[in-house]
Amino acid sequence: MSEKEIKKPLLQVRDLKQHFPIEAGFIMKKQVGAVRAVDGISFDVNEGETLGIVGESGCGKSTTIRSISQLYTPTSGSVVYNGLDLIKAKREELLDARKNMQMIFQDPYASLDPRMTVRTIIAEPLEIYKKRRMLEPQMSKKDIEDRVEELMERVGLNRAFKNRYPHEFSGGQRQRIGIARALALNPKIILADEPVSALDVSIQSQILNLLHDLQEELGLTYLFIAHDLAVIEYISTRVAVMYLGKIMELSRSSDLYKNPLHPYTKALLSAAPIPDPVIERKRQRIILTGDVPSPNVERVGCYFYDRCPYKMEKCKTNIPPMKKVDEHHEVACWLYE
Amino acid sequence: METNETRKTLLEVKDLRTYFKTDAGVVKAVDGISFKLSQGETLGIVGESGSGKSVTNLSIMRLIQSPPGKIVGGEILFEGDDILKVPESELRSIRGNKISMIFQDPMTSLNPFLKISTQMVETILLHQDMSKKEALKKSIDMLKLVGIPAAEERIHSYPHQFSGGMRQRVMIAMALSCEAKILIADEPTTALDVTIQAQILELIQELAQKLDTAVILITHDLGVVAGLCDTVCVMYAGKIVEKANTDELYARPSHPYTDGLIKSVPRLDKAQNGKLFSIEGQPPNVIDLPPCCPFHPRCSRKMEICTKQYPPVVDLGKGHEVACWLYAENKENSTDE
Ligand SMILES: Nc1ncnc2c1ncn2[C@@H]1O[C@H](COP(=O)(O)OP(=O)(O)OP(=O)(O)O)[C@@H](O)[C@H]1O
Ligand SMILES: Nc1ncnc2c1ncn2[C@@H]1O[C@H](COP(=O)(O)OP(=O)(O)OP(=O)(O)O)[C@@H](O)[C@H]1O
Ligand SMILES: [Mg+2]
Ligand SMILES: [Mg+2]
C-alpha cells in the first residue's frame, strides 16, 4: 500500500498492559497468577495509514484490539484516541469515540447474529446511536434504510438480499456484511481482527481489495491484525511484530522483509512459505525449536529468550527496550545495542 | 527432483466418484478424478474449501460414511489391487499398514479421555507384532523423533495437556509409527502457527525421505505446496482441473483458475502496490452442477462451449494436464472424459 507519510497520530497506545487474573479455590476465590496477554506495548497509528500487527496464536493480538476499544479494562497504560484517554474517559466521551472506532472480526460465522437479517445487522449501530441521540444529523427510518442499501452496494452485496439471514451467505459475503456494519457510523479508524484469515485465497484477495479501496475512498485508518505475514505486508504501511504480549520490532512494511532485525522476525519471515518452487528450494529456513511459552509467567529477561538462536547471557535477565535503529525502524533486542 | 517415471507406481486413482445424498440434492463431492502416486513421491492436492480434497482421501482410506456418502464409481489401485474391492474385514490391513493418515483436526482423531501412551501403543499393536513394552518404547522413540521434549514423561499426558503443535506432532508420530507406504496428510498444519508449521513440514519431509514414504499432502496453501511437493493436483468443485509437476505448474499455470489462484496470493518477496489480482465470484455449490465447466462463471476467458460442456483433459506434455477448453481446440490429442 502507498507509503503516505502522514504523521498525525490518531491513536496513541502507551505501555498498555492487559492481564487476566488466574483464580483458584471454590468458595474463596483467590488470585494465584495472571495471564499476561498484553504486557506493555506502545505504538502510534497515524491518520490514513494501516498499522499491521503480526504474531503467532496467543501472542495477544486480539486482546490488544479489545483493550484499545475498551471491551476490557486495561490493567495499566494509556490509549489515547484523538487526544482523549479512553481509559479515563467518561461514558459519553467513550461512546462518542467508539463511534469513530469500529471493529471487524475474524470469524464471519460466529460474529454475526444468526437470528438477525442482514438489514438489521448493518443498521444496528445506527439504531443504537439513534436511541442515544448521538447521531448527527439524526436519521429517519427512511434515512437508515437508504444508508443500509448504500452500504451493501458499497461492499459488493446485492441490496435485494437485505432481508436474508447470515447462514444464506458464503464466508466472503459474511465478511462483507461485517464490513458494511463497521462502516455504518462513518468511523475514522477500523480495528480489524484477522478479517481474512478464515477465507479461501481467491475470496481473501477480494476482501483485501475491498478494504484497500475503502481506505482510499473514505480516508480510513486501519489497525489490522493477522498472523499471515504476506497479508500484513501487503495491506500495511507499518508493521509491528508481536510475541508473548510484547512488540519485538516495528518498521515500515517494505523494510521489514528487506531488512528484518529481530531474530524472531527473521524466523517468522523465513518460515512463511512463498508460492514459488524455485525460490522455496533455495531458501534458508531458520527453524525455531519448541513452542511459544506460557504467558502466565512474569519475565525478567527477553520474552523471546527460550527460542532465540542468538541468545546471550545478558538477554536472560534484562528486558531489551525498544530502540530506534533508523527513522522508521525500531527493535527490542540486545543485538542492536 | 527425480522423474516419477523411473519409480514404481504405488497408488493409482482412476475416475473416482464419491457422492453424498442430501435433502437438497446429490453432492458430487468428488466427480471423476484420476492421479498416480509413485514410491517416495510427495503429491500436493490444493483447492478451495469444499472442492473435495478431504473426500478424495477419505475415499482412498474407505472412510466415507455411508449413508449419506457413497463411492459410486472408479478404482483405487494400491500396488495393483483395487482397494474398493477389498472386503470390509480386511480393510484394517490397508489402513495403517499400507496407508496412514493425519487428519485435519488432531483433536477429533485423538481420544481426549485416553493418555497419549495408551493411544500410541494401541495403534502400534494393531499393526505390528510386538510386546506392549516394545510398543511403548517405540512410541517414546517416535515422540522423540518428532521433537517432543521429555518424551518419556510426557507420553503419559492426556491430549489436552499438549499444545496444538504438539498434538499435531503426536498425530504424525502415530501415523509414522505404522511404517505405512503412503502417508496422507490432510491440512496437517492449517491450525498451526507459521514457525510451528515450518517445523512440522520439515519433519514430514525429512521422515518421508528417511523412510521412503510417499506422501499426499492436502492443503489450500500454495506456498506450502511450492516448498514440499513434487507434483500438484489442483481441485475445483470435485474435479482435478490441472495437474503437473510443481515447477511446471508454477512456471506455466494453464487453467485460468490455477493462474488466478497463484496471482491472488500476496507475496512477501515482491513489493505489491495497489490492488491484488482477484478472481471474482465464489466457488459453486456442488449440488446438481450442470455438465459444463464449473469455473466458467468466474472465468475471465470463458467461451461459448464452456457453458455447455465439461472440458476434456488435455495433455500439454511432460505430464502437465489441464481440463480447459482453451487448450482443447488447438490440440488433437484431447481425450474425451
Ligand atoms: N478473557 C481472557 N481470560 C483469560 N485469558 C485470556 C483471555 N483472552 C485471552 N486470553 C489469553 O491471552 C493470551 C492472548 O490471547 P489473544 O486472543 O489476544 O491472542 P491472539 O494473538 O489473538 O491469538 P490468535 O491468533 O489465536 O487469535 C492467550 O494466552 C489467551 O489464552
Ligand atoms: N457427510 C457429508 N454429507 C454431505 N456432504 C458432504 C459430506 N462430507 C463432505 N460433503 C461435501 O462434499 C464437498 C467436498 O468436501 P471436502 O470435505 O472434501 O472439501 P475440502 O476440499 O476438504 O474442503 P476444506 O478445505 O474445507 O477441508 C463439500 O461440498 C462438502 O459439503
Ligand atoms: Mg486472535
Ligand atoms: Mg478438508
Side-chain angles (χ1 to χ4, degrees), chain A residues 263 266-268 270-272 283-290 304 307-310, chain B residues 169 194-203 205-206:
Chain A
K266 288 183 184 172
L268 210 53
S270 90
R283 282 176 89 200
Q284 285 291 328
R285 282 251 145 82
I286 306 165
I287 302 279
L288 291 179
T289 50
F304 187 54
R307 296 172 83 198
C308 184
Y310 306 102
Chain B
R169 275 180 266 170
V194 276
T195 61
I196 310 290
Q197 164 171 295
Q199 287 175 23
I200 303 266
L201 293 176
E202 191 109 318
L203 182 71
Q205 194 171 29
E206 206 183 285

PDB file of all heavy atoms in Angstrom, chain A residues 263 266-268 270-272 283-290 304 307-310, chain B residues 169 194-203 205-206:
ATOM      1  N   PRO A 263      15.616 -11.428  15.768  1.00  0.00           N
ATOM      2  CA  PRO A 263      15.707 -12.855  15.423  1.00  0.00           C
ATOM      3  C   PRO A 263      14.329 -13.507  15.243  1.00  0.00           C
ATOM      4  O   PRO A 263      14.167 -14.397  14.411  1.00  0.00           O
ATOM      5  CB  PRO A 263      16.429 -13.463  16.626  1.00  0.00           C
ATOM      6  CG  PRO A 263      17.201 -12.349  17.221  1.00  0.00           C
ATOM      7  CD  PRO A 263      16.416 -11.097  16.957  1.00  0.00           C
ATOM      8  N   LYS A 266      13.013 -12.534  11.842  1.00  0.00           N
ATOM      9  CA  LYS A 266      13.740 -13.303  10.827  1.00  0.00           C
ATOM     10  C   LYS A 266      13.180 -14.716  10.713  1.00  0.00           C
ATOM     11  O   LYS A 266      12.976 -15.222   9.614  1.00  0.00           O
ATOM     12  CB  LYS A 266      15.230 -13.359  11.177  1.00  0.00           C
ATOM     13  CG  LYS A 266      15.925 -12.039  10.972  1.00  0.00           C
ATOM     14  CD  LYS A 266      17.414 -12.159  11.270  1.00  0.00           C
ATOM     15  CE  LYS A 266      18.051 -10.773  11.144  1.00  0.00           C
ATOM     16  NZ  LYS A 266      19.436 -10.761  11.599  1.00  0.00           N
ATOM     17  N   ALA A 267      12.931 -15.318  11.862  1.00  0.00           N
ATOM     18  CA  ALA A 267      12.396 -16.686  11.855  1.00  0.00           C
ATOM     19  C   ALA A 267      11.000 -16.710  11.245  1.00  0.00           C
ATOM     20  O   ALA A 267      10.665 -17.575  10.437  1.00  0.00           O
ATOM     21  CB  ALA A 267      12.361 -17.236  13.276  1.00  0.00           C
ATOM     22  N   LEU A 268      10.203 -15.730  11.625  1.00  0.00           N
ATOM     23  CA  LEU A 268       8.833 -15.650  11.137  1.00  0.00           C
ATOM     24  C   LEU A 268       8.833 -15.499   9.615  1.00  0.00           C
ATOM     25  O   LEU A 268       8.094 -16.173   8.903  1.00  0.00           O
ATOM     26  CB  LEU A 268       8.175 -14.428  11.775  1.00  0.00           C
ATOM     27  CG  LEU A 268       6.689 -14.430  12.034  1.00  0.00           C
ATOM     28  CD1 LEU A 268       6.271 -15.651  12.817  1.00  0.00           C
ATOM     29  CD2 LEU A 268       6.291 -13.163  12.794  1.00  0.00           C
ATOM     30  N   SER A 270      11.245 -16.282   7.550  1.00  0.00           N
ATOM     31  CA  SER A 270      11.807 -17.422   6.836  1.00  0.00           C
ATOM     32  C   SER A 270      10.876 -18.624   6.885  1.00  0.00           C
ATOM     33  O   SER A 270      10.971 -19.527   6.067  1.00  0.00           O
ATOM     34  CB  SER A 270      13.188 -17.768   7.391  1.00  0.00           C
ATOM     35  OG  SER A 270      13.081 -18.695   8.434  1.00  0.00           O
ATOM     36  N   ALA A 271       9.959 -18.627   7.855  1.00  0.00           N
ATOM     37  CA  ALA A 271       9.021 -19.748   7.947  1.00  0.00           C
ATOM     38  C   ALA A 271       7.820 -19.569   7.040  1.00  0.00           C
ATOM     39  O   ALA A 271       7.129 -20.524   6.723  1.00  0.00           O
ATOM     40  CB  ALA A 271       8.554 -19.915   9.391  1.00  0.00           C
ATOM     41  N   ALA A 272       7.551 -18.346   6.625  1.00  0.00           N
ATOM     42  CA  ALA A 272       6.374 -18.091   5.802  1.00  0.00           C
ATOM     43  C   ALA A 272       6.625 -18.600   4.393  1.00  0.00           C
ATOM     44  O   ALA A 272       7.553 -18.167   3.735  1.00  0.00           O
ATOM     45  CB  ALA A 272       6.077 -16.597   5.776  1.00  0.00           C
ATOM     46  N   ARG A 283      15.658 -21.326  -0.417  1.00  0.00           N
ATOM     47  CA  ARG A 283      15.592 -20.541   0.813  1.00  0.00           C
ATOM     48  C   ARG A 283      16.246 -21.227   1.992  1.00  0.00           C
ATOM     49  O   ARG A 283      16.174 -22.422   2.158  1.00  0.00           O
ATOM     50  CB  ARG A 283      14.137 -20.258   1.181  1.00  0.00           C
ATOM     51  CG  ARG A 283      13.537 -19.163   0.376  1.00  0.00           C
ATOM     52  CD  ARG A 283      12.099 -19.030   0.733  1.00  0.00           C
ATOM     53  NE  ARG A 283      11.874 -18.112   1.844  1.00  0.00           N
ATOM     54  CZ  ARG A 283      10.784 -18.118   2.582  1.00  0.00           C
ATOM     55  NH1 ARG A 283       9.850 -19.010   2.384  1.00  0.00           N
ATOM     56  NH2 ARG A 283      10.627 -17.241   3.535  1.00  0.00           N
ATOM     57  N   GLN A 284      16.886 -20.415   2.820  1.00  0.00           N
ATOM     58  CA  GLN A 284      17.426 -20.912   4.068  1.00  0.00           C
ATOM     59  C   GLN A 284      16.375 -20.695   5.141  1.00  0.00           C
ATOM     60  O   GLN A 284      15.943 -19.583   5.355  1.00  0.00           O
ATOM     61  CB  GLN A 284      18.688 -20.125   4.424  1.00  0.00           C
ATOM     62  CG  GLN A 284      19.893 -20.502   3.584  1.00  0.00           C
ATOM     63  CD  GLN A 284      20.396 -21.895   3.908  1.00  0.00           C
ATOM     64  OE1 GLN A 284      20.289 -22.339   5.053  1.00  0.00           O
ATOM     65  NE2 GLN A 284      20.918 -22.593   2.912  1.00  0.00           N
ATOM     66  N   ARG A 285      15.975 -21.749   5.801  1.00  0.00           N
ATOM     67  CA  ARG A 285      14.979 -21.627   6.860  1.00  0.00           C
ATOM     68  C   ARG A 285      15.656 -21.503   8.205  1.00  0.00           C
ATOM     69  O   ARG A 285      16.610 -22.210   8.485  1.00  0.00           O
ATOM     70  CB  ARG A 285      14.117 -22.892   6.902  1.00  0.00           C
ATOM     71  CG  ARG A 285      13.068 -22.950   5.851  1.00  0.00           C
ATOM     72  CD  ARG A 285      11.687 -22.762   6.456  1.00  0.00           C
ATOM     73  NE  ARG A 285      10.856 -22.031   5.514  1.00  0.00           N
ATOM     74  CZ  ARG A 285      10.223 -22.600   4.496  1.00  0.00           C
ATOM     75  NH1 ARG A 285      10.299 -23.894   4.306  1.00  0.00           N
ATOM     76  NH2 ARG A 285       9.513 -21.878   3.676  1.00  0.00           N
ATOM     77  N   ILE A 286      15.125 -20.621   9.030  1.00  0.00           N
ATOM     78  CA  ILE A 286      15.510 -20.647  10.428  1.00  0.00           C
ATOM     79  C   ILE A 286      14.381 -21.395  11.118  1.00  0.00           C
ATOM     80  O   ILE A 286      13.274 -20.884  11.219  1.00  0.00           O
ATOM     81  CB  ILE A 286      15.600 -19.223  11.014  1.00  0.00           C
ATOM     82  CG1 ILE A 286      16.536 -18.362  10.166  1.00  0.00           C
ATOM     83  CG2 ILE A 286      16.045 -19.284  12.463  1.00  0.00           C
ATOM     84  CD1 ILE A 286      16.410 -16.879  10.453  1.00  0.00           C
ATOM     85  N   ILE A 287      14.636 -22.626  11.507  1.00  0.00           N
ATOM     86  CA  ILE A 287      13.588 -23.382  12.176  1.00  0.00           C
ATOM     87  C   ILE A 287      13.725 -23.176  13.682  1.00  0.00           C
ATOM     88  O   ILE A 287      14.726 -23.545  14.274  1.00  0.00           O
ATOM     89  CB  ILE A 287      13.676 -24.888  11.825  1.00  0.00           C
ATOM     90  CG1 ILE A 287      13.577 -25.106  10.308  1.00  0.00           C
ATOM     91  CG2 ILE A 287      12.635 -25.677  12.585  1.00  0.00           C
ATOM     92  CD1 ILE A 287      12.186 -25.081   9.745  1.00  0.00           C
ATOM     93  N   LEU A 288      12.717 -22.563  14.253  1.00  0.00           N
ATOM     94  CA  LEU A 288      12.739 -22.367  15.700  1.00  0.00           C
ATOM     95  C   LEU A 288      12.394 -23.676  16.377  1.00  0.00           C
ATOM     96  O   LEU A 288      11.569 -24.429  15.894  1.00  0.00           O
ATOM     97  CB  LEU A 288      11.703 -21.324  16.109  1.00  0.00           C
ATOM     98  CG  LEU A 288      11.960 -19.890  15.703  1.00  0.00           C
ATOM     99  CD1 LEU A 288      10.809 -19.029  16.170  1.00  0.00           C
ATOM    100  CD2 LEU A 288      13.262 -19.394  16.286  1.00  0.00           C
ATOM    101  N   THR A 289      13.006 -23.926  17.511  1.00  0.00           N
ATOM    102  CA  THR A 289      12.634 -25.123  18.243  1.00  0.00           C
ATOM    103  C   THR A 289      11.582 -24.758  19.279  1.00  0.00           C
ATOM    104  O   THR A 289      11.469 -23.606  19.679  1.00  0.00           O
ATOM    105  CB  THR A 289      13.856 -25.731  18.950  1.00  0.00           C
ATOM    106  OG1 THR A 289      14.494 -24.689  19.664  1.00  0.00           O
ATOM    107  CG2 THR A 289      14.818 -26.336  17.949  1.00  0.00           C
ATOM    108  N   GLY A 290      10.834 -25.752  19.682  1.00  0.00           N
ATOM    109  CA  GLY A 290       9.895 -25.561  20.777  1.00  0.00           C
ATOM    110  C   GLY A 290       8.657 -24.772  20.410  1.00  0.00           C
ATOM    111  O   GLY A 290       8.488 -24.316  19.293  1.00  0.00           O
ATOM    112  N   PHE A 304      11.625 -13.492  24.185  1.00  0.00           N
ATOM    113  CA  PHE A 304      11.921 -14.473  23.136  1.00  0.00           C
ATOM    114  C   PHE A 304      13.082 -15.396  23.531  1.00  0.00           C
ATOM    115  O   PHE A 304      13.460 -16.283  22.782  1.00  0.00           O
ATOM    116  CB  PHE A 304      12.236 -13.722  21.835  1.00  0.00           C
ATOM    117  CG  PHE A 304      12.387 -14.610  20.628  1.00  0.00           C
ATOM    118  CD1 PHE A 304      11.390 -15.514  20.273  1.00  0.00           C
ATOM    119  CD2 PHE A 304      13.533 -14.557  19.841  1.00  0.00           C
ATOM    120  CE1 PHE A 304      11.531 -16.341  19.165  1.00  0.00           C
ATOM    121  CE2 PHE A 304      13.679 -15.376  18.725  1.00  0.00           C
ATOM    122  CZ  PHE A 304      12.678 -16.264  18.393  1.00  0.00           C
ATOM    123  N   ARG A 307      13.433 -19.338  22.841  1.00  0.00           N
ATOM    124  CA  ARG A 307      13.507 -19.884  21.485  1.00  0.00           C
ATOM    125  C   ARG A 307      14.541 -19.182  20.614  1.00  0.00           C
ATOM    126  O   ARG A 307      14.671 -19.482  19.435  1.00  0.00           O
ATOM    127  CB  ARG A 307      12.125 -19.778  20.816  1.00  0.00           C
ATOM    128  CG  ARG A 307      11.061 -20.607  21.512  1.00  0.00           C
ATOM    129  CD  ARG A 307       9.702 -20.323  20.941  1.00  0.00           C
ATOM    130  NE  ARG A 307       9.435 -21.087  19.725  1.00  0.00           N
ATOM    131  CZ  ARG A 307       8.475 -20.779  18.857  1.00  0.00           C
ATOM    132  NH1 ARG A 307       7.734 -19.714  19.045  1.00  0.00           N
ATOM    133  NH2 ARG A 307       8.270 -21.522  17.795  1.00  0.00           N
ATOM    134  N   CYS A 308      15.261 -18.241  21.180  1.00  0.00           N
ATOM    135  CA  CYS A 308      16.143 -17.420  20.342  1.00  0.00           C
ATOM    136  C   CYS A 308      17.434 -18.151  19.979  1.00  0.00           C
ATOM    137  O   CYS A 308      18.138 -18.652  20.849  1.00  0.00           O
ATOM    138  CB  CYS A 308      16.492 -16.120  21.056  1.00  0.00           C
ATOM    139  SG  CYS A 308      17.482 -15.029  20.013  1.00  0.00           S
ATOM    140  N   PRO A 309      17.758 -18.216  18.691  1.00  0.00           N
ATOM    141  CA  PRO A 309      19.005 -18.866  18.298  1.00  0.00           C
ATOM    142  C   PRO A 309      20.245 -18.025  18.616  1.00  0.00           C
ATOM    143  O   PRO A 309      21.349 -18.530  18.573  1.00  0.00           O
ATOM    144  CB  PRO A 309      18.866 -19.046  16.774  1.00  0.00           C
ATOM    145  CG  PRO A 309      17.573 -18.448  16.353  1.00  0.00           C
ATOM    146  CD  PRO A 309      16.954 -17.768  17.523  1.00  0.00           C
ATOM    147  N   TYR A 310      20.054 -16.748  18.917  1.00  0.00           N
ATOM    148  CA  TYR A 310      21.213 -15.875  19.164  1.00  0.00           C
ATOM    149  C   TYR A 310      21.297 -15.408  20.606  1.00  0.00           C
ATOM    150  O   TYR A 310      21.897 -14.392  20.897  1.00  0.00           O
ATOM    151  CB  TYR A 310      21.132 -14.634  18.266  1.00  0.00           C
ATOM    152  CG  TYR A 310      20.981 -14.940  16.815  1.00  0.00           C
ATOM    153  CD1 TYR A 310      19.747 -14.826  16.189  1.00  0.00           C
ATOM    154  CD2 TYR A 310      22.084 -15.358  16.059  1.00  0.00           C
ATOM    155  CE1 TYR A 310      19.602 -15.129  14.840  1.00  0.00           C
ATOM    156  CE2 TYR A 310      21.945 -15.657  14.716  1.00  0.00           C
ATOM    157  CZ  TYR A 310      20.705 -15.547  14.118  1.00  0.00           C
ATOM    158  OH  TYR A 310      20.571 -15.846  12.790  1.00  0.00           O
TER     159      TYR A 310
ATOM    160  N   ARG B 169       2.124 -33.049  16.210  1.00  0.00           N
ATOM    161  CA  ARG B 169       3.324 -33.879  16.140  1.00  0.00           C
ATOM    162  C   ARG B 169       3.043 -35.286  16.642  1.00  0.00           C
ATOM    163  O   ARG B 169       3.590 -36.255  16.114  1.00  0.00           O
ATOM    164  CB  ARG B 169       4.465 -33.227  16.929  1.00  0.00           C
ATOM    165  CG  ARG B 169       5.196 -32.207  16.053  1.00  0.00           C
ATOM    166  CD  ARG B 169       6.320 -31.553  16.779  1.00  0.00           C
ATOM    167  NE  ARG B 169       5.883 -30.306  17.373  1.00  0.00           N
ATOM    168  CZ  ARG B 169       6.595 -29.599  18.235  1.00  0.00           C
ATOM    169  NH1 ARG B 169       7.766 -30.050  18.631  1.00  0.00           N
ATOM    170  NH2 ARG B 169       6.138 -28.480  18.702  1.00  0.00           N
ATOM    171  N   VAL B 194       2.969 -20.268  11.838  1.00  0.00           N
ATOM    172  CA  VAL B 194       3.968 -20.475  10.783  1.00  0.00           C
ATOM    173  C   VAL B 194       5.269 -21.068  11.272  1.00  0.00           C
ATOM    174  O   VAL B 194       5.854 -21.906  10.593  1.00  0.00           O
ATOM    175  CB  VAL B 194       4.312 -19.197   9.973  1.00  0.00           C
ATOM    176  CG1 VAL B 194       3.324 -18.987   8.881  1.00  0.00           C
ATOM    177  CG2 VAL B 194       4.477 -18.003  10.847  1.00  0.00           C
ATOM    178  N   THR B 195       5.733 -20.655  12.455  1.00  0.00           N
ATOM    179  CA  THR B 195       7.015 -21.214  12.882  1.00  0.00           C
ATOM    180  C   THR B 195       6.853 -22.688  13.243  1.00  0.00           C
ATOM    181  O   THR B 195       7.735 -23.494  13.003  1.00  0.00           O
ATOM    182  CB  THR B 195       7.616 -20.443  14.081  1.00  0.00           C
ATOM    183  OG1 THR B 195       6.714 -20.529  15.174  1.00  0.00           O
ATOM    184  CG2 THR B 195       7.855 -18.992  13.743  1.00  0.00           C
ATOM    185  N   ILE B 196       5.703 -23.039  13.817  1.00  0.00           N
ATOM    186  CA  ILE B 196       5.434 -24.443  14.133  1.00  0.00           C
ATOM    187  C   ILE B 196       5.164 -25.199  12.824  1.00  0.00           C
ATOM    188  O   ILE B 196       5.628 -26.327  12.626  1.00  0.00           O
ATOM    189  CB  ILE B 196       4.201 -24.573  15.064  1.00  0.00           C
ATOM    190  CG1 ILE B 196       4.326 -23.626  16.262  1.00  0.00           C
ATOM    191  CG2 ILE B 196       4.012 -26.009  15.511  1.00  0.00           C
ATOM    192  CD1 ILE B 196       5.363 -23.976  17.275  1.00  0.00           C
ATOM    193  N   GLN B 197       4.431 -24.559  11.914  1.00  0.00           N
ATOM    194  CA  GLN B 197       4.170 -25.166  10.611  1.00  0.00           C
ATOM    195  C   GLN B 197       5.476 -25.535   9.912  1.00  0.00           C
ATOM    196  O   GLN B 197       5.620 -26.632   9.390  1.00  0.00           O
ATOM    197  CB  GLN B 197       3.387 -24.185   9.739  1.00  0.00           C
ATOM    198  CG  GLN B 197       3.400 -24.552   8.265  1.00  0.00           C
ATOM    199  CD  GLN B 197       2.437 -23.695   7.448  1.00  0.00           C
ATOM    200  OE1 GLN B 197       1.243 -23.752   7.621  1.00  0.00           O
ATOM    201  NE2 GLN B 197       2.975 -22.904   6.551  1.00  0.00           N
ATOM    202  N   ALA B 198       6.425 -24.614   9.943  1.00  0.00           N
ATOM    203  CA  ALA B 198       7.710 -24.885   9.300  1.00  0.00           C
ATOM    204  C   ALA B 198       8.373 -26.104   9.934  1.00  0.00           C
ATOM    205  O   ALA B 198       8.912 -26.962   9.243  1.00  0.00           O
ATOM    206  CB  ALA B 198       8.613 -23.655   9.392  1.00  0.00           C
ATOM    207  N   GLN B 199       8.305 -26.190  11.262  1.00  0.00           N
ATOM    208  CA  GLN B 199       8.865 -27.369  11.949  1.00  0.00           C
ATOM    209  C   GLN B 199       8.208 -28.656  11.470  1.00  0.00           C
ATOM    210  O   GLN B 199       8.875 -29.637  11.164  1.00  0.00           O
ATOM    211  CB  GLN B 199       8.612 -27.290  13.463  1.00  0.00           C
ATOM    212  CG  GLN B 199       9.425 -26.299  14.232  1.00  0.00           C
ATOM    213  CD  GLN B 199       8.975 -26.266  15.697  1.00  0.00           C
ATOM    214  OE1 GLN B 199       8.394 -27.205  16.221  1.00  0.00           O
ATOM    215  NE2 GLN B 199       9.241 -25.167  16.368  1.00  0.00           N
ATOM    216  N   ILE B 200       6.867 -28.640  11.441  1.00  0.00           N
ATOM    217  CA  ILE B 200       6.121 -29.858  11.118  1.00  0.00           C
ATOM    218  C   ILE B 200       6.352 -30.282   9.669  1.00  0.00           C
ATOM    219  O   ILE B 200       6.557 -31.463   9.380  1.00  0.00           O
ATOM    220  CB  ILE B 200       4.607 -29.646  11.368  1.00  0.00           C
ATOM    221  CG1 ILE B 200       4.374 -29.212  12.815  1.00  0.00           C
ATOM    222  CG2 ILE B 200       3.791 -30.870  10.986  1.00  0.00           C
ATOM    223  CD1 ILE B 200       4.064 -30.271  13.789  1.00  0.00           C
ATOM    224  N   LEU B 201       6.337 -29.327   8.768  1.00  0.00           N
ATOM    225  CA  LEU B 201       6.524 -29.673   7.356  1.00  0.00           C
ATOM    226  C   LEU B 201       7.921 -30.224   7.112  1.00  0.00           C
ATOM    227  O   LEU B 201       8.111 -31.205   6.399  1.00  0.00           O
ATOM    228  CB  LEU B 201       6.266 -28.457   6.470  1.00  0.00           C
ATOM    229  CG  LEU B 201       4.818 -27.951   6.450  1.00  0.00           C
ATOM    230  CD1 LEU B 201       4.709 -26.694   5.615  1.00  0.00           C
ATOM    231  CD2 LEU B 201       3.865 -29.022   5.922  1.00  0.00           C
ATOM    232  N   GLU B 202       8.889 -29.575   7.740  1.00  0.00           N
ATOM    233  CA  GLU B 202      10.260 -30.051   7.650  1.00  0.00           C
ATOM    234  C   GLU B 202      10.343 -31.501   8.129  1.00  0.00           C
ATOM    235  O   GLU B 202      10.973 -32.362   7.525  1.00  0.00           O
ATOM    236  CB  GLU B 202      11.144 -29.162   8.534  1.00  0.00           C
ATOM    237  CG  GLU B 202      12.608 -29.384   8.330  1.00  0.00           C
ATOM    238  CD  GLU B 202      13.251 -28.200   7.620  1.00  0.00           C
ATOM    239  OE1 GLU B 202      12.655 -27.671   6.668  1.00  0.00           O
ATOM    240  OE2 GLU B 202      14.339 -27.812   8.036  1.00  0.00           O
ATOM    241  N   LEU B 203       9.641 -31.735   9.243  1.00  0.00           N
ATOM    242  CA  LEU B 203       9.626 -33.063   9.850  1.00  0.00           C
ATOM    243  C   LEU B 203       9.013 -34.102   8.915  1.00  0.00           C
ATOM    244  O   LEU B 203       9.569 -35.183   8.706  1.00  0.00           O
ATOM    245  CB  LEU B 203       8.819 -32.971  11.134  1.00  0.00           C
ATOM    246  CG  LEU B 203       8.687 -34.219  11.975  1.00  0.00           C
ATOM    247  CD1 LEU B 203      10.026 -34.497  12.619  1.00  0.00           C
ATOM    248  CD2 LEU B 203       7.626 -34.021  13.035  1.00  0.00           C
ATOM    249  N   GLN B 205       8.734 -33.995   5.725  1.00  0.00           N
ATOM    250  CA  GLN B 205       9.615 -34.158   4.577  1.00  0.00           C
ATOM    251  C   GLN B 205      10.818 -35.045   4.916  1.00  0.00           C
ATOM    252  O   GLN B 205      11.147 -35.984   4.200  1.00  0.00           O
ATOM    253  CB  GLN B 205      10.100 -32.776   4.152  1.00  0.00           C
ATOM    254  CG  GLN B 205      10.736 -32.743   2.786  1.00  0.00           C
ATOM    255  CD  GLN B 205      10.979 -31.302   2.344  1.00  0.00           C
ATOM    256  OE1 GLN B 205      11.186 -30.414   3.174  1.00  0.00           O
ATOM    257  NE2 GLN B 205      10.941 -31.063   1.057  1.00  0.00           N
ATOM    258  N   GLU B 206      11.418 -34.737   6.059  1.00  0.00           N
ATOM    259  CA  GLU B 206      12.607 -35.465   6.478  1.00  0.00           C
ATOM    260  C   GLU B 206      12.295 -36.936   6.729  1.00  0.00           C
ATOM    261  O   GLU B 206      13.000 -37.825   6.250  1.00  0.00           O
ATOM    262  CB  GLU B 206      13.071 -34.813   7.778  1.00  0.00           C
ATOM    263  CG  GLU B 206      14.521 -34.934   8.110  1.00  0.00           C
ATOM    264  CD  GLU B 206      14.743 -34.278   9.474  1.00  0.00           C
ATOM    265  OE1 GLU B 206      14.739 -33.033   9.516  1.00  0.00           O
ATOM    266  OE2 GLU B 206      14.878 -35.012  10.471  1.00  0.00           O
TER     267      GLU B 206
END
